[in-house]
């Protein structure tokens, strides 16, 4: 009888767990698993969360993209095209943009170093 949980404590702990899981899957580049954890998290927020927390999870949801790739057999022969789904996550786009800026800065720096070294 002395063990009690106050209303709202469980959902906060759950959010922490979902966030850690989401970040771990992001680090491991496991897109489909990230989608699954976000869908489950969103369902929990719909039932027990508030509008702000639900919106925060929905902002993390990816766009589903249909792509095609060439299938190549063991002998190197092209066997045709395969359609598959990929996901574009909003937080990955920000990371990619930052990496692109960093890459451009490094190229610029290397170009200036070559000019000064001549």
């Amino acid at each position: 009888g002395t063990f009690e949980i106050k209303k709202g404590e469980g959902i906060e702990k759950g959010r922490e767990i979902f966030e850690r899981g989401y970040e771990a899957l992001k680090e491991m580049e496991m897109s489909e698993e990230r989608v699954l954890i976000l869908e489950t998290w969103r369902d929990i927020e719909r039932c027990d969360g508030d509008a702000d927390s639900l919106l925060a999870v929905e902002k993390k949801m990816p766009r589903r993209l249909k792509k095609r790739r060439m299938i190549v057999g063991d002998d190197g022969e092209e066997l045709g095209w395969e359609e598959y789904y990929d996901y574009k996550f909003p937080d990955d786009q920000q990371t990619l943009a930052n990496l692109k800026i960093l890459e451009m800065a490094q190229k610029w720096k290397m170009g200036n170093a070559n000019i000064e070294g001549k």
Side-chain angles (χ1 to χ4, degrees):
T2 61
F3 184 74
E4 293 180 14
I5 297 177
K6 295 179 186 168
K7 184 171 172 62
E9 284 182 3
I11 189 77
E12 287 301 321
K13 189 68 168 170
R15 285 180 185 132
E16 290 175 20
I17 293 168
F18 277 119
E19 187 66 43
R20 280 197 323 252
Y22 176 77
E23 290 300 323
L25 293 171
K26 181 179 175 181
E27 289 290 321
M28 293 185 280
E29 299 179 2
M30 300 176 76
S31 295
E32 293 195 21
E33 291 80 358
R34 284 170 71 190
V35 172
L36 292 174
I37 200 169
L38 284 173
E39 288 173 347
T40 304
W41 189 358
R42 182 182 60 196
D43 293 344
I44 297 293
E45 292 294 351
R46 281 184 181 152
C47 293
D48 299 322
D50 55 34
D52 290 339
S53 60
L54 177 59
L55 183 62
V57 174
E58 287 179 342
K59 284 183 178 180
K60 294 177 184 260
M61 294 298 291
R63 278 190 21 227
R64 186 173 152 183
L65 306 170
K66 189 181 217 181
K67 294 185 174 183
R68 293 175 41 173
R69 61 181 161 218
M70 178 61 68
I71 301 174
V72 179
D74 294 335
D75 58 356
E77 182 181 343
E78 294 180 353
L79 301 175
W81 292 94
E82 169 188 48
E83 288 188 347
Y84 68 100
Y85 290 100
D86 196 11
Y87 298 96
K88 193 170 191 178
F89 291 86
D91 53 352
D92 286 352
Q93 292 172 350
Q94 182 63 37
T95 303
L96 290 175
N98 290 343
L99 289 176
K100 186 71 173 171
I101 290 170
L102 181 61
E103 180 183 330
M104 290 171 32
Q106 289 173 337
K107 285 181 182 178
W108 178 83
K109 184 177 180 182
M110 293 298 286
N112 283 345
N114 289 338
I115 291 171
E116 291 173 5
K118 288 184 179 180

